[in-house]
Amino acid sequence: MRRRKGMLIVLAAACGGLAFSLWAADVTIDQIPAKAREALQKLAGDNKIIEVEAEKEHGVQVYEAAWVAGGSKHEAEVTADGILLEMEQDVKAEDVPEAVRAAAEKALAGAPKLHHEMHTVVFFEVEGKVNGKNKEVSISPAGKLMGGEDEDEGDDDDDDDDDDDDK
């Protein structure tokens, strides 16, 4: 959460202060809507919530909380209705998959230290038949269309979920 604030400060300075409306506001857990508070407390479990922020993202009011569990920082972001949007967890370098570690070291060559986070983003996939063709769309919990495709075009999947390609 703190890195995002730093980026917004730089952005605000570069834009002559125009970005101040984008800032996340530090709030207490008791200042957020009940459904958001209940969802964040459930996600944190018995761990103490150490930071809470409220902000608008893509026109949607969201609430983010942070806590420490198992020695690493965790964060979750929910809507006012308590719908989970994203989870983040600090990850030790030795716990990051080798392919991720190698790609990060290449992309960030020269960085004295790397900080690893695992993000889990929630979206919904919806399928239907439109004009006789199978279609699929991905939609965020806030209702934003994230992408879509015609399932019938370029589909070499055998659709039987057995990891082989029956031809």
Side-chain angles (χ1 to χ4, degrees), residues 22-153:
L22 300 175
W23 277 48
D26 287 332
V27 295
T28 67
I29 193 73
D30 296 324
Q31 293 175 307
I32 67 175
K35 288 183 179 180
R37 179 176 55 251
E38 290 164 9
L40 290 169
Q41 288 173 326
K42 183 177 180 180
L43 290 164
D46 292 334
N47 301 293
K48 181 181 179 191
I49 292 177
I50 57 174
E51 189 175 3
V52 180
E53 291 181 353
E55 65 183 315
K56 276 210 178 212
E57 288 185 1
H58 310 290
V60 176
Q61 185 66 46
V62 298
Y63 302 90
E64 185 173 357
W67 63 91
V68 176
S72 57
K73 186 176 179 182
H74 295 252
E75 297 180 15
E77 184 177 88
V78 299
T79 65
D81 293 331
I83 298 169
L84 179 63
L85 300 173
E86 181 177 7
M87 299 220 25
E88 301 174 17
Q89 177 182 347
D90 287 354
V91 181
K92 295 176 186 170
E94 59 267 18
D95 295 333
V96 173
E98 180 57 38
V100 172
R101 193 169 41 245
E105 290 170 358
K106 182 177 179 182
L108 300 169
K113 183 177 179 184
L114 298 178
H115 175 85
H116 301 82
E117 290 181 356
M118 180 176 64
H119 288 238
T120 304
V121 179
V122 176
F123 69 92
F124 294 84
E125 184 176 279
V126 184
E127 299 173 355
K129 200 169 274 245
V130 178
N131 297 325
K133 290 186 175 184
N134 291 323
K135 301 241 181 199
E136 175 182 291
V137 293
S138 299
I139 303 171
S140 77
K144 182 179 181 210
L145 187 64
M146 300 170 61
E149 63 183 47
D150 289 338
E151 289 187 325
D152 295 334
E153 294 180 21

